[in-house]
Amino acid sequence: MVTTQKILLSSLILSITLLPLSSCKEDDPTDIETYDFQPILNHLAQHVITETYVDLHAKSISLVSAVTTLQTSPTAINLEAARQAWRDTRKPWEQSEGFLFGPVSTKGIDPSIDSWPVNVVDLEAVLGSGAVLSKEYIDGLEGTLKGFHTIEFLLWGEDGEKTVDLFTAREFEYLIATCQSLESNTNDLQNSWNVTGENFQSEIAEAGEDGSMYVSQKSAMQEIINGMIGIADEVANGKIYDPLSQLDVTLEESRFSANSKADFIDNIRSIQNLYAGLYMISGDGVTTFIVSENSELNALVEAQMQNAIDLIDAIPGTFTEAIFENPDAVTAAQESVRQLQETLQSQVKPLIDAI
Amino acid sequence: MLILSMSMLLLCMFIYSCTTDPEITNWYNEDEYAAGGATTLYEATSGAFSTPAPNLSATAFEKHMAGDVSFESIFVTAPATNNAGLGPIFNDVSCVSCHTLDGRGDKPSVFRVSIPGTDAHGGPNPAPGFGGQLQDKAVFGVLPEGKVDINYVEEFYKYPDGSSYSLLRPVYAISDTYISLPPGTMLSVRAAPPVFGLGLLEAITEADILAAADEFDLNGDGISGKVNYVWDVVSATAKIGRFGWKANQPHLDQQTAGAFSGDMGITSTLFPTESAYGQIQDDGMGDDPEIDFEFLDITSFYTKTLAVPAPRGLEKPNVMLGKQLFFEIGCENCHRQKWTTGIATGIPELSNQTIYPYTDMLLHDMGPGLADNRPDYLASGSEWKTRPLWGIGLTAVANGHTRFLHDARARNLEEAILWHGGEAEKATTAFKNLSAGERAALIAFLEAL
């Protein structure tokens, strides 16, 4: 019987001198990599992902300001300004849905920002109660009583036709408090990625190094690609397909604001941003690797991303109307996103898995 | 020169070991990468616990994906067009809100309560006015049943080699109850466990589990693995308990329906009665069951058919050493490495799979340190079911934390080991007596799983 001490000693020597020979299994997931993904990972983490969250937070500050102005001066113009501020904030959020990993998931931030459906029964009950509608009060509520869709419901109303004279004083108070709560959640999110904060970006940028959460650069790249595939799947087979196939508008996510088409396009842009390595500052992206492996595939992905955006944009009218009046256009858009998902899943990902 | 010649010798041994030498190859087994058999996922990403098994048929995949939507569905107060029926009292609003990315919760989220005695089927005796679970949240206008205050006392210890460690001992107290708590109420605090690989564990045959049991320690090894027998509401008979921290659920349909009911206040075909029934805050809406059989079925199916993540780096020397120690000091006596599943009815993808879950599916006395002092069917107040260890090293990447044990008190794997008492006391003592390097190797092995 070999003693433990001897094994330990031999282990140390083995690890120093014989590591390359020590693998008996060729498809071991921790095989030594043959491509240096660090520049891609670094740029995506530092610029694309973190900057999207920084942008989201900046826009949410403007949203608080817009709803505060609306309360002070409830005019049709200020209502439209508040709605535009909501759309402006929604945009970077939807562009972040290609990377729903890390703190947004593990810290439970997503439900506070983007829960759906809205708990209308409880919302009406809270508005009808004497509860003090402070940010702290809203912070303590479930996600279905705050975040984007609650704000959307308050700004547009159930049928999307709410006018400024229909707002109650309590609704203004609720709007301001829930926008402040959103601002604080988006701040938490950008802080969790920022180098000046909890610096989660280093987990991606330094993947494979000692003490890193990701055992290899390849794992971090798989994380990125999975995020892209995941949102393509969600848009094609959930967000578009469910309301379309069941002809049920209540399954449409941004229905009150008629913002669904913009949501879908920004989701595809999220994929595009990771692929191209572009969010304000251009740099390495997934394309850097794919071009080096298969330039035809690279062209196909670029064309399919643009095609999906174009076909969603080409859906006439609102998404709500289109599922009834132009189902063919909606189906074509859905199909284009599904094709993109298929290419990412069956052609792009295997190139990374093979490293 | 000595080092060099030793290296040469070891090199020869090692190359040899990959082929024939049983003495060395014992601690590296290539087959173990397929921890979940054909359901194994070879990826170490945040999706490690939340990816469909790769071997699902097209039909099974479609059902799984439908179940994925159910598992993520956020419930709201009735009446509502979508996802109605939350509460009126609850612990959370969706499955994923506790099982983050289908994984492990970083804090307690469910609070079981009961009073002395048993119910009609030998299970915990519900606390009048509170039932079997304390719901700490409620829809607007309804009072939560109460809340659980958690205080951690940090205790400092030393290993025999002089290095120090500390443990957080939780102290729980129930406060702000909506009515007075019955005298003698017992409390058991639980965090959400991961939900992948469960269909494989369900497919282990009863005969195999019974063969592994040794309730009266007839083999004299100090370990008395015990089977829990619990009430099955489907067959209306007592069955072997397999799921839950105390093995108090016989199958995943009941586990899932129980969670819908107890954790979210969602009634189903299996549990059609509101958790608040008979209490002054019952909504009395008569809208039960709030989810139909199909919704329950696909949600349960989802947890049955998630992939099991593969281990990483099993051939690394310190991981092999850690595995050897894991076996030698007795961890594997309960955290049983290997099983072969039987027939999974209706899910051939899970049948006849060789799996490496590191659990014996049995109850063990874990000592006073971990005891909740609340019996659950045949499980005593200090008995817990051996947790599977597969995928445990991916908790950080999938769930963003490393809190372990039934109430998430352990801040890392080392603390989780050190809390083991009772039947595991001997193994824990042996762990403490290892050198620092050996302890690190054992943990490296767990992190590789």
Side-chain angles (χ1 to χ4, degrees), chain B residues 78-369:
Chain B
T81 316
N82 307 100
N83 309 351
L86 177 68
I89 48 175
F90 58 94
N91 295 111
D92 224 318
V93 296
S94 70
C95 304
V96 283
S97 39
C98 295
H99 301 280
T100 308
L101 289 170
D102 305 341
R104 190 180 293 271
D106 65 351
K107 57 181 175 300
S109 52
V110 159
F111 313 100
R112 303 241 189 267
V113 289
S114 54
I115 57 172
T118 60
D119 71 2
H121 306 299
N125 200 9
F130 294 84
Q133 190 163 319
L134 183 98
Q135 284 85 9
D136 62 343
K137 294 179 180 173
V139 300
F140 191 79
V142 173
L143 293 172
E145 287 187 332
K147 67 185 176 77
V148 174
D149 305 307
I150 307 174
N151 282 300
Y152 291 105
V153 179
E154 188 164 16
E155 298 175 349
F156 297 89
Y157 302 94
K158 276 196 188 330
Y159 283 106
D161 69 8
S163 54
S164 53
Y165 66 88
S166 70
L167 299 174
L168 293 184
R169 185 179 297 276
V171 181
Y172 300 115
I174 298 175
S175 67
D176 296 350
T177 55
Y178 82 110
I179 56 172
S180 299
L181 207 58
T185 298
M186 297 174 283
L187 169 70
S188 185
V189 170
R190 316 280 173 90
V195 299
F196 66 85
L198 302 184
L200 293 165
L201 299 182
E202 190 169 65
I204 294 173
T205 68
E206 290 196 358
D208 283 352
I209 293 175
L210 290 170
D214 181 22
E215 183 173 349
F216 304 103
D217 191 19
L218 298 178
N219 67 2
D221 64 354
I223 311 279
S224 66
K226 175 173 147 186
V227 173
N228 204 356
Y229 282 92
V230 304
W231 190 247
D232 171 17
V233 298
V234 176
S235 65
T237 57
K239 287 276 173 65
I240 288 181
R242 292 170 186 260
F243 300 104
W245 291 100
K246 289 201 171 226
N248 68 349
Q249 294 290 358
H251 47 71
L252 290 164
D253 292 349
Q254 185 164 325
Q255 170 73 44
T256 307
F260 271 120
S261 166
D263 304 352
M264 293 179 270
I266 302 294
T267 53
S268 63
T269 45
L270 256 58
F271 293 111
T273 307
E274 283 284 7
S275 59
Y277 179 76
Q279 300 178 21
I280 53 175
Q281 303 202 104
D282 184 13
D283 65 10
M285 289 180 81
D287 55 355
D288 307 305
E290 290 155 336
I291 54 170
D292 59 20
F293 174 76
E294 190 199 349
F295 196 99
L296 176 63
D297 181 47
I298 58 176
T299 312
S300 170
F301 186 82
Y302 177 71
T303 68
K304 292 177 192 177
T305 50
L306 284 162
V308 172
R312 288 110 7 245
L314 292 177
E315 75 291 352
K316 288 182 181 168
N318 66 327
V319 172
M320 285 195 287
L321 169 62
K323 182 178 175 187
Q324 179 183 1
L325 293 166
F326 184 88
F327 277 74
E328 285 182 358
I329 70 173
C331 307
E332 205 269 345
N333 292 349
C334 300
H335 287 286
R336 174 174 159 174
Q337 180 190 28
K338 185 176 171 183
W339 293 86
T340 301
T341 63
I343 302 297
T345 311
I347 318 178
E349 292 90 339
L350 306 179
S351 302
N352 304 313
Q353 298 297 313
T354 299
I355 59 172
Y356 297 82
Y358 288 91
T359 173
D360 61 1
M361 303 294 288
L362 301 171
L363 296 170
H364 297 276
D365 181 347
M366 296 302 293

Side-chain angles (χ1 to χ4, degrees), chain B residues 355-401:
Chain B
I355 59 172
Y356 297 82
Y358 288 91
T359 173
D360 61 1
M361 303 294 288
L362 301 171
L363 296 170
H364 297 276
D365 181 347
M366 296 302 293
L370 286 175
D372 64 354
N373 301 308
R374 175 181 178 273
D376 201 335
Y377 292 98
L378 303 183
S380 76
S382 60
E383 285 178 323
W384 299 93
K385 187 195 130 182
T386 310
R387 299 305 305 167
L389 301 179
W390 52 12
I392 200 163
L394 292 163
T395 307
V397 73
N399 296 138
H401 68 87

Side-chain angles (χ1 to χ4, degrees), chain A residues 115-120 143-145 149 250, chain B residues 73-76 80 82-83:
Chain A
S115 272
W116 186 91
V118 176
N119 191 335
V120 178
T144 49
L145 287 167
H149 295 301
T250 70
Chain B
S73 290
I74 301 173
F75 286 89
V76 295
N82 307 100
N83 309 351

Side-chain angles (χ1 to χ4, degrees), chain A residues 216-229:
Chain A
S216 61
Q217 291 180 354
K218 173 177 158 180
S219 293
M221 281 300 288
Q222 288 172 323
E223 186 78 275
I224 302 274
I225 299 296
N226 286 349
M228 294 163 67
I229 295 168

Side-chain angles (χ1 to χ4, degrees), chain A residues 110-111 274 281 298 311:
Chain A
D110 187 332
L274 292 169
I281 301 169
N298 185 62
L311 288 179

